[in-house]
Each structure stands twice: as structure tokens, then as C-alpha cells.
Amino acid sequence: HTTIASALTSASSGDTIFLRPGTYTENITLKAGVNLSAYGCDALTPNVTIVGTCTFTTAGTVSISGIRLQTNASFFLAVTGSAASIVFLRDCYLNCTDNTGISFTSSDAGASITCITCQGNVATTGIAIFASSSTGQIGFNHCGIGNSGASTTANTISAGQVNFLNSNTGTVFSTSSTGLINFENAVYKRLMLEKEFHGEFAAQRLLFEEYGI
């Protein structure tokens, strides 16, 4: 196969598609039960890059291993729809070059995205690692996400839960509505709103603080 999309078309649940070194510029629809992986010797460099959006909308589980996922003016991963879509990212590099990396909007509480021993970077302003309005969960476990672009745009959680465990990042987090975030043995930056009251007037300013929990 010359494209990931054509390999996915031919694959069946239980298959793993191994990708040779190279850059694959394409938008693909993930298939439940079909995993994508770099060969072990290419995983840590990484020598396999997908530039485009990987979309998952159906019930089932998919894993992506040892691959650099890179934005291309859109999310590199979009988990959408109303099914219990479960995605595992293991030993991947999450490269947010020009857009927020992950969109998680599935309305099923059983949906989840779990990042395990992943690295990454937010390379410019105005973007973040993820935006989540799903009732499901996102997990980061033993991950490290840099912020070379010094972005002050928050990772947003308006529903469900995000677990940031044994991980570190220089990016900002913000919760709203019913969204929850859990930090455990993590280093992160929190966006704070400080109010200074002077008589009847209140001046507000935004502050960034680094926390280790």
C-alpha cells in the first residue's frame, strides 16, 4: 500500500499496520480494532510522521504507537460522534505546529483517549494540546509536552475528566461547566485570575503559576 488510508481499507479488526519510515500527509479515518505502529527501531526518533487528521467515530479500540502525529491546519486527532471510541497513543510524539492537537467531542461517557509515555510540543501561540467537551476521559501518563511557542492558550475541559499523571507540561489548563481535571505527580501551569479591590472598583489581571503536585 502507498497510503495509510488504502491499508486501512484492506485491514480487518485484529490487524496491525506497520508503517515504514517516511512522512504521510493524509487525513485518515481510523478503524476499530486496527492499530497503527512504527517499527520499534523507528519509534523513538521518530522516523514515521502522519501530517493530517486521524478521525475516530465508531465504537471500539484503536492504538497508535511510535508515530509522530502532526497538525496540518487542523487537529491531528479527532474523536467525535456518539460512540464509545477508545484511542491509545503510546510512545508517540504529539507535534502541535499550527493548530491545537486533539479534539475530543464524543458524547459517550465510555469514550477515552489515553496517552502513554508520549512526548510533544506546542510550537506557536494561540494553540494548545487539546480541547475537550466530551463526557469521556483523556489521560496523560508519563508524558512530557513542551511549549516552545510560549502559547498562553489553555487546554480546555468543559465536560468529562482529564487525568494528568506523572507528567509535565508548560501549557495552561482551564476547566468550565462540568469539566474536571486531576493532577497527580505532575508539573503544569495554571491560568489564574487575580482580583485587586480598590474601593468600588476591581482591577483584574491574569497570572501564570507553575505547580508541582
Side-chain angles (χ1 to χ4, degrees):
H1 298 278
T2 58
T3 66
I4 301 171
S6 65
L8 282 166
T9 298
S10 299
S12 302
S13 181
D15 290 343
T16 295
I17 298 171
F18 287 93
L19 304 180
R20 293 182 176 181
T23 298
Y24 301 82
T25 303
E26 54 183 301
N27 297 320
I28 60 176
T29 299
L30 301 172
K31 181 182 288 188
V34 178
N35 304 319
L36 302 178
S37 181
Y39 289 98
C41 58
D42 295 313
L44 295 181
T45 306
N47 288 328
V48 177
T49 300
I50 299 175
V51 180
T53 303
C54 300
T55 302
F56 194 36
T57 62
T58 58
T61 302
V62 167
S63 69
I64 301 175
S65 304
I67 296 172
R68 178 192 282 117
L69 301 174
Q70 183 169 309
T71 58
N72 188 17
S74 187
F75 307 103
F76 58 64
L77 177 64
V79 179
T80 67
S82 58
S85 303
I86 299 171
V87 178
F88 288 94
L89 304 180
R90 182 183 291 274
D91 297 327
C92 290
Y93 191 88
L94 312 180
N95 201 19
C96 307
T97 59
D98 57 6
N99 200 88
T100 293
I102 297 171
S103 173
F104 188 33
T105 62
S106 174
S107 60
D108 193 301
S112 66
I113 300 170
T114 304
C115 303
I116 304 168
T117 57
C118 291
Q119 302 298 313
N121 186 47
V122 175
T124 190
T125 58
I127 64 174
I129 307 167
F130 65 84
S132 178
S133 60
S134 172
T135 54
Q137 295 193 27
I138 300 180
F140 293 87
N141 197 339
H142 290 91
C143 295
I145 312 295
N147 184 12
S148 68
S151 178
T152 58
T153 298
N155 303 288
T156 57
I157 309 105
S158 59
Q161 182 168 319
V162 172
N163 299 306
F164 207 75
L165 311 175
N166 302 300
S167 299
N168 66 83
T169 182
T171 61
V172 179
F173 295 82
S174 176
T175 61
S176 62
S177 188
T178 59
L180 299 173
I181 187 162
N182 173 42
F183 291 97
E184 183 176 331
N185 295 325
V187 176
Y188 68 101
K189 288 187 182 292
R190 183 178 70 179
L191 181 63
M192 300 182 65
L193 180 63
E194 182 184 82
K195 295 183 178 180
E196 297 180 348
F197 291 92
H198 301 283
E200 298 179 356
F201 301 97
Q204 298 180 345
R205 59 179 177 172
L206 296 176
L207 301 177
F208 293 93
E209 292 191 1
E210 185 170 81
Y211 290 80
I213 292 182

